[in-house]
Amino acid sequence: MASFDFDAARRWTRFDPGRTLARRDDAALPFADEGELAGAALLLDTCVYIDRMQGRAPGVLSGLVATRQVNHSTVAVQELMHAVGVLRPDDPRTAAAIGAIERQVKAMPDHRLFEPDAEVLSRAALLAGMLCRLQGYRDDARLKALQDSVLFLQALKLGLTVLTANVREFDVLLQLVPTGRVLFYRKA
């Protein structure tokens, strides 16, 4: 960790547009198109697994997952396991939900499951802190900002494209780090 560039961090955190960053119009964002399924390898956001498990995955999502190289992050595994912990044991739907999550996690091939390294984690913490300051995030939104930042920067480092339906948060990340790659889809 001694190699982390605090001078760059200081320069980066001076960024202040004087306003919260607004979500851009859909026309300015990279949305998935059923006519263009081929492309860069993907890193799946947690919402992809959830939408597929809950039957909210649009056809374009299924096409992308079938056509492109799909990669997974331990960030998504962490978020899915958090969901297991949050589920109420006395709810009759819990056993089925845990079973679906278990199948999702076990289906991730080891050679396609990536852990963020110390550089990604530290830069993501910096980026998430900036998001919280610029966007006025509080409470649970702060943790979500950290997880999204880790996934975003992990994909950037690995040369992957994040696949997500989370337009609002990842659009802001793209505005702060335009070299990142994200592909959005709309839930069915």
Side-chain angles (χ1 to χ4, degrees):
M1 188 54 65
S3 66
F4 188 75
D5 186 352
F6 275 90
D7 290 333
R10 285 184 189 94
R11 285 190 305 275
W12 206 27
T13 58
R14 279 187 235 143
F15 174 76
D16 187 357
R19 60 177 172 76
T20 57
L21 297 173
R23 182 192 176 293
R24 295 176 289 182
D25 187 72
D26 283 359
L29 299 173
F31 274 88
D33 180 345
E34 292 204 35
E36 299 177 20
L37 295 178
L42 302 170
L43 186 63
L44 305 185
D45 189 5
T46 308
C47 61
V48 173
Y49 306 101
I50 294 169
D51 290 342
R52 293 181 82 196
M53 285 186 283
Q54 294 181 343
R56 296 184 312 207
V60 71
L61 180 61
S62 299
L64 288 167
V65 169
T67 305
R68 297 193 188 192
Q69 182 188 85
V70 173
N71 299 281
H72 312 276
S73 174
T74 54
V75 172
V77 173
Q78 183 183 37
E79 289 181 319
L80 291 168
M81 293 307 296
H82 179 264
V84 169
V86 168
L87 293 170
R88 299 183 57 83
D90 57 345
D91 188 318
R93 300 170 295 176
T94 293
I98 291 173
I101 293 169
E102 179 181 16
R103 286 188 296 281
Q104 286 289 318
V105 172
K106 285 184 174 180
M108 298 175 186
D110 289 340
H111 70 285
R112 294 277 177 235
L113 179 61
F114 296 97
E115 296 177 24
D117 61 18
E119 178 189 15
V120 166
L121 291 171
S122 58
R123 289 178 189 231
L126 177 66
L127 182 59
M130 290 175 60
L131 281 172
C132 291
R133 174 175 49 87
L134 295 171
Q135 301 301 99
Y137 290 163
R138 300 281 182 254
D139 304 324
D140 289 347
R142 290 181 177 203
L143 178 59
K144 184 74 174 114
L146 179 59
Q147 292 165 327
D148 289 345
S149 295
V150 172
L151 189 69
F152 180 78
L153 292 179
Q154 182 182 27
L156 179 63
K157 184 170 187 172
L158 295 171
L160 304 172
T161 299
V162 176
L163 179 62
T164 185
N166 187 352
V167 178
R168 186 171 44 111
E169 283 79 9
F170 279 89
D171 176 29
V172 173
L173 287 168
L174 279 172
Q175 290 178 58
L176 291 172
V177 185
T179 55
R181 293 189 313 207
V182 177
L183 184 60
F184 298 109
Y185 69 92
R186 290 178 184 82
K187 295 179 185 189

